[in-house]
Amino acid sequence: SQLLKLILEINIRLLYNAAYSFIEAEDYVKAMEILNDGITKYPEYLRFYSAKAYVYKVQEDTSNYIDTLTIIHEIVPGNIEYAELLADALNNDGRQDDAIEIAKDILRRDSKNQTAFKILSQKYEFYKMYVKEEKPKAEVDNSEESEKDETKIDETPIEQEIEESPIEVDDSSS
């Protein structure tokens, strides 16, 4: 049973890493084929959806980007990072009322969330006092650590993931 779980986990990771390789190579058609296959086979594996959202973002396919973020938000409604991405995408797409509802939910979970304040402040004057001023471009640290791509895909190499796997294999039967 543990061995079957390990094999399943390795299969999922191999599929994901194959898609990730095509994303890095900017072969988004092949990446999407693999991601869709992964979602069909393993719908509970969030990383397939996350990578799919990333591809839509890179391709500037706003409608599918929002649809994919909505699916992620439904799977993990408590994940503030994805809620922020969804609220921001909805807001940028002119769907302010939908963005505001998500922003309110974000604030219930994180009372100092700047993304939520910025969205709410566009409609409600009251929230403007909570929006922190952003640093002027000249003061922004442009180091690699400070770069924040809005939509991320998990870049953990499969070798590291397998080493960190919580599944233990019983080798005593060999």
Side-chain angles (χ1 to χ4, degrees):
S1 174
Q2 289 290 339
L3 183 57
L4 291 176
K5 285 182 184 178
L6 181 60
I7 291 170
L8 176 65
E9 192 171 318
I10 290 170
N11 285 339
I12 291 170
R13 289 177 179 169
L14 286 172
L15 196 59
Y16 174 82
N17 285 336
Y20 183 79
S21 294
F22 283 108
I23 290 169
E24 283 187 321
E26 298 180 7
D27 185 346
Y28 301 124
V29 172
K30 187 66 178 165
M32 288 302 258
E33 288 174 15
I34 294 169
L35 292 170
N36 287 328
D37 185 43
I39 288 169
T40 300
K41 291 178 180 173
Y42 313 105
E44 71 285 353
Y45 197 66
L46 190 64
R47 291 169 78 187
F48 290 122
Y49 296 99
S50 176
K52 192 172 175 176
Y54 176 83
V55 170
Y56 287 135
K57 175 82 172 173
V58 169
Q59 293 179 319
E60 298 179 4
D61 183 344
T62 304
S63 177
N64 283 317
Y65 177 62
I66 289 172
D67 290 346
T68 305
L69 288 175
T70 300
I71 291 168
I72 294 170
H73 185 64
E74 289 168 359
I75 294 171
V76 285
N79 185 305
I80 290 178
E81 182 178 342
Y82 285 112
E84 285 177 318
L85 291 172
L86 177 57
D88 196 44
L90 288 166
N91 194 51
N92 291 338
D93 195 44
R95 296 165 57 184
Q96 189 180 39
D97 291 340
D98 293 332
I100 285 172
E101 287 308 308
I102 294 171
K104 287 178 182 177
D105 186 55
I106 291 170
L107 283 181
R108 284 185 207 101
R109 299 168 194 278
D110 177 3
S111 63
K112 296 179 181 179
N113 188 284
Q114 286 297 299
T115 300
F117 284 140
K118 288 174 186 173
I119 290 168
L120 289 165
S121 71
Q122 292 174 5
K123 186 170 183 178
Y124 303 108
E125 190 71 30
F126 170 78
Y127 289 100
K128 288 184 179 180
M129 70 177 158
Y130 295 106
V131 176
K132 292 181 181 175
E133 293 293 321
E134 293 183 15
K135 291 181 182 179
K137 294 285 183 204
E139 294 179 37
V140 174
D141 179 11
N142 288 326
S143 69
E144 207 169 294
E145 293 91 29
S146 71
E147 279 186 27
K148 182 183 177 191
D149 185 2
E150 289 180 1
T151 308
K152 299 178 217 153
I153 55 177
D154 195 328
E155 299 180 10
T156 309
I158 189 164
E159 296 81 13
Q160 181 181 346
E161 283 193 5
I162 292 172
E163 289 171 13
E164 295 174 358
S165 174
I167 298 173
E168 295 177 18
V169 179
D170 181 11
D171 291 332
S172 62
S173 60
S174 5

